[in-house]
């Protein structure tokens, strides 16, 4: 399944991406707008494989004639990819409710280490990456209605709704599936 990390700038998307991937693939900074491109990686959580996408954060920027054209392009690419995701994980800093999550997105409070009294379920991918992995794994399995592992010999292969639709369309079109 394709999972898109989305949310406002500096919500911890790239930090969580790195914690889930298990390496420093995404550049992180306290500067808003650091992530501009889509960063894609495969992650294994409790035996299930996910395509994870780190995206540009949402915020108001100058128009494309000003200095914000690249950031606007990154935000546009992020929004387009959210439409094709199996799950959108909308990240918001704990204690911040000023941003509205897209319909059907799963909201996760982040940066629990920066909040004096974080809400229940809030994570800190920076201070507790393993705890963040456990929490996110449970959320993914619950929301996507998955159990077990990606594949066990002799068992059916796990397909998300998106992958199933793509396979059915290819079969109807007479295409071969590799």
């Amino acid at each position: 399944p394709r999972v898109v990390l989305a949310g406002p700038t500096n919500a911890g998307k790239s930090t969580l991406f790195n914690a889930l991937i298990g390496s420093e693939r995404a550049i992180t900074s306290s500067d808003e707008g650091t992530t501009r491109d889509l960063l894609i990686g495969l992650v294994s959580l409790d035996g299930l494989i996910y395509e994870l996408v780190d995206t540009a954060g949402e915020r108001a920027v100058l128009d494309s004639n000003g200095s914000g054209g690249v950031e606007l392009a990154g935000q546009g690419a992020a929004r387009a990819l959210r439409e094709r995701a199996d799950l959108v994980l909308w990240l918001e800093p704990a204690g911040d409710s000023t941003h509205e999550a897209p319909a059907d997105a799963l909201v996760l409070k982040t940066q629990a280490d920066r909040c004096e009294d974080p809400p229940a379920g809030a994570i800190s991918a920076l201070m507790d990456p393993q705890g963040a992995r456990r929490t996110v794994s449970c959320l993914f399995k619950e929301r996507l209605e998955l159990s077990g592992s990606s594949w066990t010999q002799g068992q059916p292969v796990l397909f998300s709704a998106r992958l199933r639709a793509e396979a059915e369309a290819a079969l109807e079109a007479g295409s071969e599936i590799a």
Side-chain angles (χ1 to χ4, degrees):
R2 178 182 296 148
V3 178
V4 173
L5 302 178
T9 56
N10 285 17
K13 296 176 296 297
S14 295
T15 301
L16 180 60
F17 181 87
N18 287 341
L20 295 176
I21 295 292
S23 68
E24 298 296 313
R25 295 254 328 271
I27 296 171
T28 60
S29 170
S30 60
D31 295 339
E32 289 189 346
T34 302
T35 303
R36 305 284 179 92
D37 293 319
L38 304 173
L39 188 56
I40 302 171
L42 295 178
V43 62
S44 175
L45 299 172
D46 294 329
L48 295 169
I49 306 295
Y50 301 91
E51 179 185 74
L52 189 65
V53 185
D54 183 23
T55 64
E58 294 289 325
R59 71 171 177 156
V61 293
L62 298 174
D63 64 26
S64 60
N65 295 325
S67 63
V70 173
E71 192 170 348
L72 283 171
Q75 289 179 1
R79 284 190 291 277
L81 190 60
R82 287 195 315 241
E83 298 298 320
R84 299 186 316 269
D86 296 304
L87 174 63
V88 174
L89 185 61
W90 184 265
L91 305 182
E92 291 181 351
D96 181 5
S97 59
T98 59
H99 300 89
E100 187 173 331
D104 297 329
L106 177 60
V107 177
L108 178 61
K109 295 292 187 175
T110 59
Q111 303 172 346
D113 56 300
R114 297 183 184 177
C115 192
E116 196 169 301
D117 188 26
I123 65 165
S124 173
L126 181 63
M127 301 304 288
D128 184 14
Q130 291 305 317
R133 285 179 63 87
R134 284 190 303 275
T135 298
V136 167
S137 178
C138 289
L139 291 172
F140 286 3
K141 283 198 266 187
E142 181 180 311
R143 177 55 77 93
L144 295 168
E145 299 177 355
L146 305 173
S147 62
S149 62
S150 291
W151 182 74
T152 304
Q153 188 171 357
Q155 297 299 314
V157 175
L158 172 66
F159 277 92
S160 67
R162 176 184 54 84
L163 291 174
R164 187 174 21 257
E166 288 177 10
E168 288 172 353
L171 287 172
E172 286 176 11
S175 300
E176 290 186 25
I177 298 177

